[in-house]
Amino acid sequence: MASKKGNKEVVKLENKETGYFYTTTKNTKSENTAGKMKFRKYDPKLRKHTTFTEAKMPH
């Protein structure tokens, strides 16, 4: 079966201190991802784990 289109969105997770970012997908239909996502991921510029928050993707 084919999946429905339009329920996933590509988002940018960015560290505001260094500008380093990751990209990931977000389920737009889920209630759990209603606000901005925050993840604790590794930043190679700082060489430690920091908080990455969702930012706007350039179109």
Side-chain angles (χ1 to χ4, degrees), residues 2-23:
S3 64
K4 293 183 181 180
K5 299 204 184 242
N7 61 351
K8 298 270 184 183
E9 177 183 349
V10 177
V11 294
K12 178 179 173 182
L13 299 173
E14 182 178 22
N15 183 354
K16 298 295 181 184
E17 296 176 30
T18 60
Y20 190 80
F21 67 92
Y22 288 98
T23 56

Side-chain angles (χ1 to χ4, degrees), residues 14-33:
E14 182 178 22
N15 183 354
K16 298 295 181 184
E17 296 176 30
T18 60
Y20 190 80
F21 67 92
Y22 288 98
T23 56
T24 186
T25 58
K26 178 179 182 177
N27 186 355
T28 56
K29 299 222 178 208
S30 175
E31 296 167 0
N32 296 332
T33 58

Side-chain angles (χ1 to χ4, degrees), residues 32-47:
N32 296 332
T33 58
K36 285 192 174 187
M37 294 195 309
K38 288 185 182 178
F39 286 105
R40 191 167 156 81
K41 296 182 79 63
Y42 182 75
D43 190 342
K45 292 183 179 177
L46 295 177
R47 294 174 47 192

